[in-house]
Amino acid sequence: MAPGRPAQSPHDGGGGNTNRKRKDAPTNPQHNGPNKRPRQHIDQRQKMRIARTLSTQTTSTAFQNGALDVSSFVKSRAYEIQALENGLQRSKKALNERAFQQVPKELRRRTASHNVKRVPKRLRVRAGREMAVDNTPTVTARRRKPSGHMRLRLETVKKLRALGAKRKAEKDKPKDATTTELLPKDVQPGTVTTAIRTRIPKVKKSLLATPPVPKAKFRKRQIHKSWLPTHLYHAKRARMTAPSAPIWRYAVPLTPTAKSYRPTHRASHDRGAVAWDMSYMSTIQLEGRESSVLGMLKAIGVAEEDLSGRKSNKWRAGVRVLDAFLYERESPHELIAPVTMVWCVYDGTATVMEKRKRKMFLRVHPSAFYQLWEEMLRLAKVAKPAVSVEDLRFEIGSIEITGPGATEALLGALWPSSMASTSNDASDAAITGMDVDATSDHPRSESVGETWQKLAGLTNPALLPQNALLGFNVQDPRLHHPPRTIALLKSDAEQHKLLEISASWPVDAAQKACDIFDRKARHSASTSLPSQKAVNRRKGLAAPGEYPQALPKDPRVPVLLYSSSNATPTNSSKSRQSTAHNGSWTLLAPWKCLQPIWYSLMYYPLSTGQQPRFGGLDQKRQLAFEAGKPWFPGDFPGTKAGWNWECEDRRRRESEWRKRPRGKRVSYEKVELGGGKKGEVGVGWACDWERLLNVPPVIEEAALAGIEDIMDVDGPAEKAGDGTTPAEKAVEDNTKPAEQEKAKENILPLQATPKPPQLSQLSARQALALLASPEAKLPPHINLTSALVTVRLTLLTRGVPHPCARIYRLPTNDPDLRRQWLALLPSNLPHKKQKGSKHALPRLPKDASAHVVQQRLAQSLLEPPRAGEDKYPACPAEEDLVGFITTGNYDLGEGQGTGIGSLLVDRVRDGGAESNVYIVRNAGTGLGRLARWEVA
Amino acid sequence: MVRIKHRYLLINILYPDPKSTSGRPATKPGDEVPYTVQFRRPSPDRMDGGVLTRLIRDGVAELYGDYGSGKVAGSLQVKYFSQATSTAIVRVSRDYYRLVWAALTFATRLPNPVGQSCVIQVVRVSGTIRKSEEEAIRRARLSIRRAEAAAKSSNAATAGLAAATPQLLSTEDDDADMINGIEDPDDPRDIEEDLDDDEG
């Protein structure tokens, strides 16, 4: 308060008037008559001043008769405290914060700033007041006057509609006439229509699936790509792939628009759930005699113990899924991709295993789909008896969901169909072949659905048997939308029951052939989904607060759920053991039924608060990285898909690097590698496997010649560089005329495509066997000199590895340098177990006595050299380069930098002692860091 | 654009001369006022922010002449002055807050309409008014706690001892953390207590 003013508490009308969005035009005070502004207008500065003045008490009011006593002393201080606190509050509120800005970050919408109805209810009144003050009326889209371009479009739509209606009327008219004439008079029209049945098109197998024809409105946008079933949801909330650059021919969400690195980590580890629409994962169906399918799998590299061993009995019975690496059949037996395989439970009567006709799903990443597809086709042709191969890419969609709330959210969305309707349904569809016959024998999904509902309270699917599977039918999720929080376990007895279920796992016995393997069931589920209008009507008829009753005619959506745990196959790492393995659920459902399931999942109110988050490709990679698992294709550069990914990444990194001005980008040619060496090893923005294998970089001869001609303009000085190859030269300089730029653009894709032929990837199993005993038997085709093994690296000191970081082994030819590096090992340091930061000496207490301080001083003199000091050991030479980091970052779970990379297995084997301690150096820096690796 | 930076000085005004001050101790013999309360007397009614501004301006002019008063004049403002507690917050530009501080320290007497001897303590210099307000709150809490503790102990003392000596005793008791009548601003005990309060 201005000192002279009498004591008064400035009053602020709820903060509403202070926050104005639309500023008033400056008004001329002379012309501002009384009739112009009916409302008294106080400007912002004055508002601020009032908000900031503090009320005070005069001495005469505080102390009666000026007498000093304790109680009035205390009262006067209390008054002061009150006044100051009020002032702090008021001045904070007086800042320009509007109602919609008070909403939590993840709930903020741009529309909320000009539509009161978008603001949460508790803020709506205040927001309305603010809008009224600003004289900005809320306009709804419905009442908005269409303007400009929009008006034109609406007119066109109107015309087209009229045209369509006219045509339809014409089309309908003569038809009615003919049918009535054709029909015999005494027959009801309804019976006749059932007699005429359209021919069911024969399913064409061994053909690539065509994407579903989108609505006319969206057709033009899906010419070169397909949308996921939940595209509209994601397009509003996530950064998608650029329209011109789809990934794997899909428009894939890359990352949510809201900041989500930490929230994703928290949701997946501590509280909440993260879900992905994984419909881009491709599904291939094999159908045929069990023995010939098994034969195919054997040819494609599934291990013998999985095909016939006792351990995988359950997989073959169809109650577990199997994750395996598949290889090409022909030499050089390249790794194709990790594939998930699911058998359909056999419901038939044949007892001899060989004679059973069964179905199987192979789920593979789209980047490796075509490779696997070709391979399967080739194998199916030679298989005897024949196996049919079917592409189910746009028929089966999938959702993956992880985190402690994942099971709960799924339970809220998936309501098993009641079994009463089963018999009806089966008799309805009794015309068709053996699959449906099988249905009528057993009431399906009876106990599987029930078991599923008993899983309430499960926070980690890894508790269930590994790779457990549940196949059942669910109701239309829209009937139960919006979802409500399910009842969770309360008593110990219930908890105990859950444990019992997960131990005995009754699904193994109860699982019948899942409907999702049945084309007809899939089709009928997708086509018979009622319209939203019909669903709404049913919901309206239901009693308030109740869900509508299930009807026997309701569509039954077949789903297949399986859990996968993040446990690494090695299980060797101690640090991994400590962090809980968080399992995840994968849900397969018919493509067209996926969207309603997704919405129910996304709006499920979790018992721990909030709703499940959704993730994009980046979140998928992040969580795989935090689990210490390699992500296909990015972390498998030895596969074809992985190589393509790497090339794409290279191009992206290069263009990013090029975009920056010279002074502000890493100049790779000037990186000091220690020992007088200068210049980055290989290309700085790439995991330069060619350089590692000593393969000359692949560039088409003609294109190279073209570039060379242009390069001559730059003069000979640059040409006689420090031993860089022409290819590097070609991409080194960006200060060139436009034509050269053009030439370079032409050359880039050429440079990227071919993969070095020898490069191959070992699976974790092979690599472990090889590393355990050097003489281990390996398939003869594997070229050891260029086989890669995927590893996980944990830095032992400080630092964070980035993608493209170089991995060196400890120096082999320089014993002195090797000793220096080994001296840095934390286990070799004098002070071993220490609390707090592992990177420095433990902190001394404040009142440490003199001798302790002195001791510390002596200790710090013995400290190994820190990074950046002169004594810090230099990086090993290029002969010790063994691999590259493909994913690296600060790991929120571990609290330190970790990375996933690939090593050349040949250079790794002869390690001796300290064989798992390596040195990691980020591309573009000269500083190495010690790291320990293990097979991932 | 560069922000104009200020410093906010949190000030306590003390009135060492009991005779001339407005707040006289109560005359009744039974309830003696503890020393902490006597130490922080309220300001007279005539004293207000304007008088304080004048005091500072005159002081700066006296110590640093035209140069000083010119440097300070543009930014000097009394943001808050409470008579009942004799607390004030004064704003000055960051570069010259030392001139104001010096003027405050050298002030021995309030200017004319009040005309009373005084001591001015600068207890906190901060970059934002928010922090100085928080400090003022902290100090007010502290003095309330002290006054209450002192009142309690003095009551106990009066109950136990003869009426002649309580004042002496109580001063010894409750102002143990005063050194020569000046309160140690960063007495560790007080700060710890305060932290506890914040957490609770």
Side-chain angles (χ1 to χ4, degrees), chain A residues 575-587:
Chain A
S575 57
R576 282 293 119 187
Q577 296 287 7
S578 61
T579 59
H581 296 306
N582 236 324
S584 65
W585 285 107
T586 306
L587 171 82

Side-chain angles (χ1 to χ4, degrees), chain A residues 897-913:
Chain A
T898 62
I900 288 177
S902 290
L903 306 179
L904 213 53
V905 81
D906 196 33
R907 297 199 189 174
V908 171
R909 284 206 298 169
D910 45 347

